[in-house]
Amino acid sequence: EDGTVWAWGQNSEGEIGDGRKRTFQSKPIQVKGLKDIIFISASTFSSAALRRDGTVWVWGRHHLDQIGSPSGAKEYSELPIQVKGIPPAVAIACGQKYSFVVDKNGFVWFWGYDQNSPKKIEGLKLF
């Protein structure tokens, strides 16, 4: 209700998003740096949050570019980072190997599985 995000569970690769790395978090803990969040999506090792202003924030495992950061980034992010290079979003979805965004114009963007920066799927417009 207040736009904050809370997480718990496995945290060996920053999945909790609180800036620390440990093996397991049994109680809910606040994900750092996120406010005004209207939607979240989580996969096995990474998560994404959609902020009211249309920005997308990701954290967790990065070995297949799931969090969309530039080449050479470390294998995980313990804190949320903003995905750059996409227009304001209205929907997000995380998978084990890919993440997807629908922008305010209905175009679909993706990154992951060795696609380290967001790419628009040409010819696919949802609305």
Side-chain angles (χ1 to χ4, degrees), residues 90-108:
V90 297
I92 57 174
C94 285
Q96 186 171 358
K97 296 180 181 178
Y98 294 97
S99 293
F100 294 89
V101 165
V102 178
D103 73 25
K104 68 179 183 175
N105 296 313
F107 292 105
V108 178

Side-chain angles (χ1 to χ4, degrees), residues 100-119:
F100 294 89
V101 165
V102 178
D103 73 25
K104 68 179 183 175
N105 296 313
F107 292 105
V108 178
W109 297 72
F110 80 100
W111 60 88
Y113 205 61
D114 298 325
Q115 173 65 40
N116 66 3
S117 59
K119 181 177 181 180

Side-chain angles (χ1 to χ4, degrees), residues 59-101:
W59 63 97
R61 192 176 199 174
H62 180 61
H63 82 290
L64 295 174
D65 297 318
Q66 296 98 314
I67 61 173
S69 60
S71 285
K74 62 183 183 177
E75 299 229 355
Y76 55 88
S77 178
E78 305 98 335
L79 292 170
I81 57 172
Q82 184 178 353
V83 177
K84 303 288 187 179
I86 56 174
V90 297
I92 57 174
C94 285
Q96 186 171 358
K97 296 180 181 178
Y98 294 97
S99 293
F100 294 89
V101 165

